[in-house]
Amino acid sequence: MVPGRTAVNAREAVLDRIRRGVGRGKADEGSARAAVAARLAARGRCAPPARIALDREAPVDLFAGKARTADATVSFVARAADAPEAVADYLRGRNLPAAAAVAPHPDLDAMDWRAGALAVHRRAPSETDRVGVNRAFGAVAETGTLVMASGPESPATMNFLPETHIAVVRASEIAGACEDVWDRLRAAAGDGAMPRTVNMITGPSRTGDIEQTLQTGVHGPKHLHIVVVRED
Amino acid sequence: MTLHRLASARFEEKAADALADPVLQGNLARLKGNFLRRRERARASLPEFDALRDAAVEIKSHTLDHLDLYLEAFEDAVRACGGQVHWARDDTEARGQVLEICRAAGARTVAKGKTMVAEEIGLNPFLEAHGVEPVETDLGEYIVQLAQEPPSHIIAPAIHKNRRQVAALFNARHEDLADRAADDLDGLLADARAVLRRTFLQADVGITGANFLIAETGQTAIVTNEGNGDLTQLLPRVHIVLAGIEKVVPTLEDAACILRVLARSATGQEMSSYTTFSAGPRRPDDPDGPDAFHVVLVDNGRAALLGSPTAEILRCIRCGCCLNACPVYGKVGGHAYGSAYPGPVGAVLTPALAGLDETRHLPNASTLCGRCEEVCPMRIPIPKMLRHFREEEAKAGRAPAAARRGLALWAFLARRPRLYRRLTGLAAGALGALGRRRGRFARLPGAGAWTRDRDLAAPQGTTFQTRWSRGERP
């Protein structure tokens, strides 16, 4: 196989087959391209479920309720500075050692991690870290879903390697629907480019592959805890 | 086009084996109702569910009508993120491209997230034959890989195995980890977690499938519950995405719409645990993620379906809902279908991709009860397509002689209404008189194939047409 040549041929061959299949005449080419360009630009949304609208006043409550339904735990703190204490409380409550890998996110820098007598490592997680703390980009009330955007400040592995995953999110970052978070992501990048990895996370890792019995923590975290910061 | 390990020609034999296997019947009985009950609950709690299905159908139909243009847009967007796109006409090309990428990366071990396309093209045996070891990391896929069997359900690949069978497989292969009770579920899970963690850390290449390809952003998306697809793509140096060309959607908003029906239809969850969007390789300052990102776009018979009577099957989002609803799948299980795609969707997709030569049993393995279409989030008219294949089969003269003779006789009578009424009237009267006492026949000459497995209900004595003409109305 001559890679370059075959590759070009395969691409053209597949596209040709598709063009034959959709049966679009030469005359329609222009309008089809225009329709596709318009659709890509419009980013049309489907009608959002009514429960988002009903809950517009309090997406935070809907979010917390849905996240709990998905087997996550949620705690609230009034100020960002209280987050380390909430993390320490959670670890004590679960009888876990007061140690964690904490993502090198500027918001997490501003917190006093000594407050809860926590031994923290500010870096991406290693294989031996049992607890990882990450900063969420946003959250979706509709389904109780966290949205994590990867980057130097927010390693994607933090969401999967440690057995216990703790995410910090501000109440103001909780949107009704995921489409609102997409718009924020696009705005954050400026040029519309997405982070390498966007993780939508709803509850801990789970499987039903043996006898359809629900088990958590098969590959990713056994436990997901969310700290919601109420202040803006 | 070739589908790997296609054994659909043996459907009748394998279905009979499945029905005679008490362990399998027990395992399948557990499936029955479980998934569907959860789907029904999820549907009931979302009043907009059916409207969202309509919107999802529109998105897929529009995209398929402009598939070439959206694939070009997707390709451009992947390149803009620093990724590479490869096109494969068929299974041979797709396997070759994956192997080439693995070789260029000097790969010995490949971690695999769940991908139906890899099963379709027979990727695992091909990689093994060329010195690359693929390890399935989805728990169900890992179990069937250990058992050297194909998956038997689209979203629950090891549904046909019980915990004792899983424990036996683990005991045989995990020598150094066998310190647990034989059928302790938590122990089995801990075992798999430990073994597969090592795979994630050692693998040079990670291969995942894709639930969506986003034309707007060049992202590929996977939907999982375990998180294995994430470790598969975050830890190895190279991430390969294998995707059928029909997976593309225009924008993130379109993916959001389909996501609202996908998990609800598959497992009854509102959202699966992990929905992950991946764009290109890791960025310069990223602490993790792959150094290289490849998408292999696989045709393998899909493009030829566009504009054909079975084009709508390309809307399928592989939720597995039709399998759960199907009375035939519920009895014979997935392996009888002899294809990567079992159940109602497989009974259409397999002959659509591979032709009827070896697959003619599949469109006949249905009662046409219509439950698959009723539950399908993408409203795919599966029964209509099954009938289409049956017509093709009849036209090509491939139907069994007995069926052809029977249908010819029926057609002869149906074109002679008076004779038809007379004969059916006589038959209904005679059978009604014979069966009056028990109301059913345990055995009846000429109906042996029916009465072998169940009773035949006796007619009440008069035909529907007679009663109708007498003015009886329901």
Side-chain angles (χ1 to χ4, degrees):
Chain A
M1 191 160 89
V2 187
R5 193 178 169 78
T6 315
V8 172
N9 290 347
R11 178 182 188 279
E12 286 316 306
V14 172
L15 287 171
D16 271 353
R17 280 180 195 162
I18 295 172
R19 285 179 200 123
R20 271 201 304 278
V22 297
R24 193 171 57 233
K26 273 255 173 334
D28 304 323
E29 190 65 20
S31 63
R33 284 189 182 274
V36 165
R39 180 125 183 175
L40 287 172
R43 295 168 183 158
R45 297 182 179 192
C46 61
R51 68 173 174 227
I52 303 173
L54 289 176
D55 232 274
R56 192 155 288 155
E57 295 307 308
V60 179
D61 297 338
L62 179 61
F63 169 75
K66 287 288 177 189
R68 285 174 179 138
T69 305
D71 300 318
T73 51
V74 186
S75 62
F76 290 88
V77 294
R79 300 171 306 123
D82 301 334
E85 192 55 50
V87 170
D89 278 350
Y90 172 77
L91 295 180
R92 261 196 305 278
R94 291 243 345 271
N95 263 332
L96 285 168
V102 176
H105 192 285
D107 283 4
L108 303 178
D109 289 343
M111 299 171 186
D112 181 9
W113 290 96
R114 286 165 308 178
L118 283 167
V120 302
H121 307 282
R122 305 300 309 279
R123 51 163 168 73
S126 73
E127 179 47 12
T128 51
D129 288 315
R130 293 182 64 190
V131 179
V133 181
N134 210 349
R135 178 79 169 87
F137 177 84
V140 182
E142 180 186 352
T143 48
T145 302
L146 291 164
V147 181
M148 319 293 295
S150 75
E153 298 159 354
S154 176
T157 43
M158 194 68 93
N159 310 327
F160 295 97
L161 274 180
E163 225 172 54
T164 297
H165 176 211
I166 301 176
V168 180
V169 66
R170 285 178 190 274
S172 58
E173 293 160 343
I174 299 174
C178 60
E179 288 92 333
D180 298 324
V181 185
W182 301 156
D183 282 347
R184 268 188 60 219
L185 266 173
R186 289 180 181 117
D191 55 356
M194 289 287 150
R196 194 289 152 177
T197 311
V198 176
N199 295 119
M200 298 179 74
I201 299 178
T202 314
S205 160
R206 69 184 68 217
T207 185
D209 273 346
I210 307 180
E211 295 189 355
Q212 289 193 71
T213 306
L214 182 70
Q215 294 180 274
T216 57
V218 53
H219 294 296
K222 274 188 169 51
H223 307 280
L224 171 65
H225 183 68
I226 303 165
V227 179
V228 179
V229 178
R230 287 200 188 272
E231 80 173 352
D232 277 338
Chain B
M1 302 311 128
T2 341
L3 298 193
H4 174 66
R5 253 197 305 217
L6 188 64
S8 308
R10 291 169 51 212
F11 177 83
E12 287 179 318
E13 174 200 332
K14 289 166 107 186
D17 289 350
L19 290 170
D21 179 346
V23 178
L24 176 66
Q25 289 303 316
N27 297 348
L28 283 171
R30 202 176 302 118
L31 162 88
K32 220 185 228 172
N34 222 340
F35 275 123
L36 271 189
R37 232 181 350 263
R38 281 183 250 155
R39 174 213 177 250
E40 196 40 51
R41 241 194 334 253
R43 183 187 120 98
S45 69
L46 187 71
E48 295 86 352
F49 187 76
D50 285 335
L52 286 166
R53 284 165 84 188
D54 294 335
V57 169
E58 190 279 331
I59 289 167
K60 277 282 191 183
S61 302
H62 164 83
T63 313
L64 290 170
D65 284 345
H66 303 83
L67 187 57
D68 52 333
L69 302 178
Y70 281 113
L71 286 171
E72 285 174 1
F74 172 73
E75 181 183 40
D76 289 345
V78 171
R79 292 217 177 109
C81 303
Q84 295 179 55
V85 177
H86 312 262
W87 302 69
R89 270 170 285 207
D90 54 24
D91 54 327
T92 312
E93 264 179 9
R95 290 191 300 259
Q97 283 160 354
V98 172
L99 179 64
E100 212 175 304
I101 298 167
C102 290
R103 283 194 168 149
R108 288 187 174 181
T109 308
V110 169
K112 279 185 70 209
K114 192 164 163 35
T115 139
M116 299 296 299
V117 175
E119 189 63 31
E120 172 187 325
I121 65 171
L123 185 62
N124 286 2
F126 179 80
L127 290 180
E128 280 163 16
H130 291 83
V132 179
E133 188 203 1
V135 182
E136 297 289 347
T137 63
D138 172 89
L139 182 59
E141 294 282 354
Y142 177 65
I143 292 167
V144 296
Q145 189 184 27
L146 288 182
Q148 298 182 301
E149 288 173 13
S152 73
H153 189 289
I154 290 180
I155 62 156
I159 192 94
H160 58 288
K161 295 250 181 266
N162 62 35
R163 68 177 76 186
R164 273 172 295 282
Q165 293 170 308
V166 174
L169 288 166
F170 282 12
N171 289 344
R173 294 294 289 272
H174 299 174
E175 297 94 352
D176 48 337
L177 287 164
D179 187 22
R180 59 167 159 67
D183 59 352
D184 159 30
L185 278 186
D186 290 338
L188 290 174
L189 195 74
D191 238 30
R193 183 179 169 105
V195 169
L196 292 170
R197 262 300 157 97
R198 264 181 286 172
T199 301
F200 293 127
L201 293 163
Q202 283 164 6
D204 310 289
V205 172
I207 300 179
T208 67
N211 291 85
F212 306 101
L213 308 171
I214 318 289
E216 170 206 358
T217 57
Q219 290 164 301
T220 66
I222 56 169
V223 178
T224 74
N225 273 319
E226 298 184 0
N228 63 310
D230 290 284
L231 292 168
T232 294
Q233 64 175 281
L234 287 174
L235 297 178
R237 284 176 285 125
V238 177
H239 178 197
I240 304 175
V241 179
L242 261 178
I245 51 172
E246 82 282 17
K247 290 289 170 217
V248 69
V249 294
T251 64
L252 278 169
E253 281 71 11
D254 294 313
C257 174
I258 299 174
L259 280 171
R260 288 188 173 100
V261 295
L262 173 57
R264 286 179 171 94
S265 300
T267 56
Q269 291 166 284
E270 296 197 332
M271 278 285 277
S272 301
S273 296
Y274 302 113
T275 300
T276 296
F277 297 87
S278 315
R282 73 157 82 180
R283 309 294 155 78
D285 297 326
D286 279 356
D288 48 29
D291 296 328
F293 177 76
H294 299 267
V295 183
V296 180
L297 294 173
V298 181
D299 179 352
N300 205 29
R302 289 165 171 78
L305 301 184
L306 292 163
S308 84
T310 50
E312 288 174 277
I313 200 69
L314 294 173
R315 288 207 300 264
C316 174
I317 53 175
R318 310 284 190 265
C319 69
C321 193
C322 59
L323 279 60
N324 305 333
C326 179
V328 176
Y329 177 91
K331 286 308 282 181
V332 304
H335 287 162
Y337 291 82
S339 154
Y341 305 103
V345 61
V348 174
L349 194 56
T350 306
L353 295 178
L356 271 175
D357 280 349
E358 291 177 62
T359 63
R360 54 160 288 267
H361 290 305
L362 301 186
N364 290 297
S366 164
T367 63
L368 299 181
C369 71
R371 286 176 72 189
C372 47
E373 180 175 1
E374 211 175 287
V375 297
C376 175
M378 303 307 293
R379 299 192 190 280
I380 299 171
I382 291 175
K384 188 180 94 184
M385 296 180 195
L386 294 173
R387 281 197 299 273
H388 160 77
F389 281 122
R390 292 182 187 189
E391 274 172 44
E392 295 288 297
E393 187 193 18
K395 272 192 238 157
R398 280 190 194 150
R404 282 207 307 272
R405 276 198 301 270
L407 276 175
L409 177 65
W410 183 83
F412 174 86
L413 292 171
R415 280 192 291 262
R416 290 161 182 80
R418 267 207 275 174
L419 183 60
Y420 183 93
R421 273 199 294 276
R422 202 171 155 69
L423 281 180
T424 50
L426 279 172
L431 288 175
L434 276 172
R436 186 168 303 143
R437 211 159 51 84
R438 296 185 59 220
R440 60 201 149 83
F441 297 98
R443 222 167 290 148
L444 193 68
W450 178 278
T451 54
R452 193 175 56 222
D453 298 313
R454 52 221 177 297
D455 289 345
L456 179 71
Q460 289 176 321
T462 44
T463 65
F464 175 80
Q465 286 178 325
T466 311
R467 294 173 65 179
W468 185 270
S469 62
R470 275 189 212 144
E472 280 185 54
R473 294 294 180 266

